Amino acid sequence: MTEPTENRRVYMDHQATTPVDPRVLDAMLPYFTEKFGNAASRSHAWGWEAEKAVDDARQRLAAAIGAKPREIVFTSGSTESDNLAILGVARMYRERGRHLVTCATEHKAVLDPMKSLERDGFEVTVLGVDRRGRLDLDELRAALRDDTILVSVMHANNEIGTIHPIAEIGRICKEKGVLFHTDATQTLGKEPIDVEEMGVDLLSANAHKVYGPKGVGLLYRRRRRPRVRLEPLQYGGGHEFGLRSGTLDVPGIVGFAAAVDLALAERETERARIAALRDRLQERLTSALTHVHVNGDPEARLACNLNVSFEFVEGESLLMGLEGIAVSSGSACTSASLEPSYVLHALGVGDALAHSSIRFSLGRWNTEEEVDYVAERTIEAVQRLRELSPLYEMAMEGIDLESIQWDAH
Ligand SMILES: *Cc1c(COP(=O)(O)O)cnc(C)c1O
């Protein structure tokens, strides 16, 4: 057994957040100090300078998703964008209909506003997914009714990386005249996005998942064919076309645009490099260990994502065995709730396997050498924990665990 290198740290949790790229920070810095103006100050050069920086960022971010600058609303992040899209549409169109459609594997920033609408008298259909995390498009089509006002389906899932066929979903929504929102937080800068080609009416994204700063995001809101109207969540100075009052975070917005520019410039080479690292990690783990299950879709999956369940091992114990390595677990104790991952549950993964899942998510500065180190540490930790597991021992002796009558006490 090799000892973990003293104090060695490896970050493989890029789907939770990413570090700010130093080039992004350089672009932001002047806007904290000498260029500190309020973008809404119309009467002096400080304000004009800030406003120009925001306009410039708005134009570049719009271009990145095939939108018009006036269709971009800056927010504090994807949670706010999801809330503004869902609650904003529901409150604006409630006389037209009170039915919304979403998917069981959405982020809580989508599911929770949907729940609050249910308490408010709206009806929400939550579509299930198959073992790979895919929607059934016929089921989606069948769920749309005359009183359906919004469909919300994410572009790629943050836990399992499954990529939904957004353009096809957009087409189905368009046929029925239903507005379509997608949470593209995990794909902006990583997968191609074009709101026209994808038939998207509303789209959420943020900066901190793409090597930009935390606390800034955007909501794309279609202005033509159809013009999407929203009831704002907060009122005040009428910033952002009246949809999101509050003084703009100019350095954050500048950093967001710089981060997306960088990601787009390197998107295809980065995607290939990261997919190769991910495949190497997966290969290492599955060839050295038995009873390893890869969760999600083997094909339509984000390049950075590897979600695996190590049977007979508690995710929580495994995390402790991986000190110095940052990954996430679908196990209960890592999250605020006591449930193991609801996303894995929606896939039909049972409690035991959900509790034994680990999400590795790779990023810009991960190296092959880090992948090998993380693979080695993981393999050792899993083997060590399995040696202590009576269930594993029984399985190795060929006992069918499903057939055991457990003592009821
Ligand atoms: C991270 C994430 C969010 C939340 O974004 P914040 O900007 O941190 O509020 C929402 N949706 C998805 C899919 C995410 O990955």
Side-chain angles (χ1 to χ4, degrees), residues 10-16 158-161 277-278 281-282 285 292 301-310 318-319 322 325-329 356-363 366 370-371 374-379 382:
V10 177
Y11 189 79
M12 279 200 190
D13 203 14
H14 293 84
Q15 287 186 274
N158 45 298
E159 284 191 37
I160 51 171
L277 290 179
R278 188 270 314 276
L281 181 58
Q282 180 172 330
L285 297 175
V292 175
R301 180 165 49 142
L302 282 174
C304 64
N305 176 275
L306 179 62
N307 189 311
V308 259
S309 292
F310 300 97
L318 186 50
L319 283 190
L322 295 177
I325 296 173
V327 292
S328 285
S329 169
S356 75
S357 76
I358 297 283
R359 179 190 68 184
F360 302 88
S361 47
L362 292 116
N366 284 136
E370 281 180 330
V371 163
V374 168
E376 195 185 341
R377 289 275 311 277
T378 308
I379 292 162
V382 169

Side-chain angles (χ1 to χ4, degrees), residues 15 77-79 82 107 109 154 156 158 183 185-186 206 208-209:
Q15 287 186 274
S78 291
T79 300
D82 288 342
H107 195 275
M154 69 203 321
N158 45 298
D183 180 338
T185 310
Q186 292 289 340
N206 70 22
H208 80 89
K209 303 273 172 82

Side-chain angles (χ1 to χ4, degrees), residues 98-153:
R98 305 213 176 171
H99 179 238
L100 301 91
V101 176
T102 189
C103 174
T105 53
E106 291 297 307
H107 195 275
K108 290 287 184 189
V110 165
L111 294 177
D112 285 357
M114 290 280 183
K115 278 196 197 123
S116 92
L117 287 174
E118 281 183 320
R119 292 191 293 272
D120 243 9
F122 287 82
E123 208 184 318
V124 178
T125 300
V126 181
L127 299 170
V129 292
D130 67 11
R131 194 73 191 193
R132 296 177 168 199
R134 297 177 304 187
L135 278 175
D136 180 333
L137 295 182
D138 289 329
E139 218 174 286
L140 168 68
R141 205 175 273 113
L144 301 182
R145 321 188 308 209
D146 290 340
D147 63 340
T148 308
I149 51 173
L150 183 72
V151 168
S152 182
V153 176

Side-chain angles (χ1 to χ4, degrees), residues 201-265:
D201 300 307
L202 294 145
L203 177 145
S204 307
N206 70 22
H208 80 89
K209 303 273 172 82
V210 61
Y211 307 94
K214 293 167 187 58
V216 60
L218 65 80
L219 178 65
Y220 157 75
R221 188 260 319 211
R222 181 177 291 281
R223 273 183 175 264
R224 293 187 54 231
R225 289 184 298 145
R227 176 183 175 84
V228 180
R229 300 174 64 225
L230 297 171
E231 184 71 37
L233 300 182
Q234 64 190 40
Y235 297 89
H239 308 76
E240 298 300 279
F241 319 102
L243 295 177
R244 204 279 185 175
S245 288
T247 301
L248 290 176
D249 172 6
V250 180
I253 289 166
V254 166
F256 192 3
V260 170
D261 282 349
L262 286 171
L264 290 185

